[in-house]
Structure formats: structure tokens, C-alpha cells
Amino acid sequence: MDAPKLKENECSVLIAEYSTGHVYKKDLTIFLDGEDENEIFQIFENFDKAKKFVLNFVDTNSEFECVIYDYAGEHLFTCDKNGERR
């Protein structure tokens, strides 16, 4: 799957099931191969907003993990029910 095209400073968030690594769409249904990849990335105008979303989302949905990528597709942050993963 390809990273979305973003403007400078924007970030994308990918949601996956913690126990399996299966990728989920924005509506929290499982992403199946061949489906529209635009449905899996949530876009935020900057890292702070993306991180705030991720921390809140994982806090209320502990069965998921989230990954934040920058506008160049580089990994910035991963969080799961145990906190930040390095």
C-alpha cells in the first residue's frame, strides 16, 4: 500500500488491530486487498493533531494500534494500549 500524497507538515494515521496487525479503514471495518487505499489513511494538518487523535483513539479502543507518517511517508510515531512503541 502506498502512502497518500500530503502537503508539507501534514500527517497520515493508519489504524491496525493490535493482536493481528490487520489494517482497518476509517469506519473501523477491516481493509481487504483491492479496496480503495484512500479509505485507510486519516489525514491531519500537523503532527500534534495526529498524535492527539492517536492517543485518544487508542485510549478508547485498546484493541487497535495507530501509526503516524509524515508528508514524505516516513514513520513518526506508533502507539498501542501499552503506550508509544519504539
Side-chain angles (χ1 to χ4, degrees):
M1 99 187 49
D2 296 324
K5 304 281 189 232
L6 303 175
K7 297 176 188 169
E8 191 169 338
N9 295 320
E10 285 185 327
C11 292
S12 62
V13 172
L14 180 76
I15 299 171
E17 188 175 27
Y18 177 74
S19 63
T20 65
H22 290 134
V23 174
Y24 278 70
K25 296 184 282 191
K26 295 178 220 179
D27 66 1
L28 297 184
T29 59
I30 196 163
F31 174 76
L32 301 173
D33 191 35
E35 291 185 321
D36 183 1
E37 291 182 2
N38 291 321
E39 291 298 312
I40 60 174
F41 291 101
Q42 299 198 48
I43 309 301
F44 295 87
E45 63 185 49
N46 59 49
F47 176 75
D48 291 334
K49 290 184 179 189
K51 186 175 180 182
K52 182 178 179 179
F53 168 82
V54 164
L55 293 174
N56 184 47
F57 181 84
V58 170
D59 187 48
T60 58
N61 300 280
S62 62
E63 68 273 20
F64 293 103
E65 60 187 353
C66 294
V67 183
I68 302 175
Y69 298 96
D70 70 8
Y71 65 95
E74 298 294 321
H75 173 262
L76 297 177
F77 182 79
T78 299
C79 183
D80 61 37
K81 63 184 176 185
N82 299 312
E84 181 178 0
R85 279 205 329 245
R86 297 188 187 266

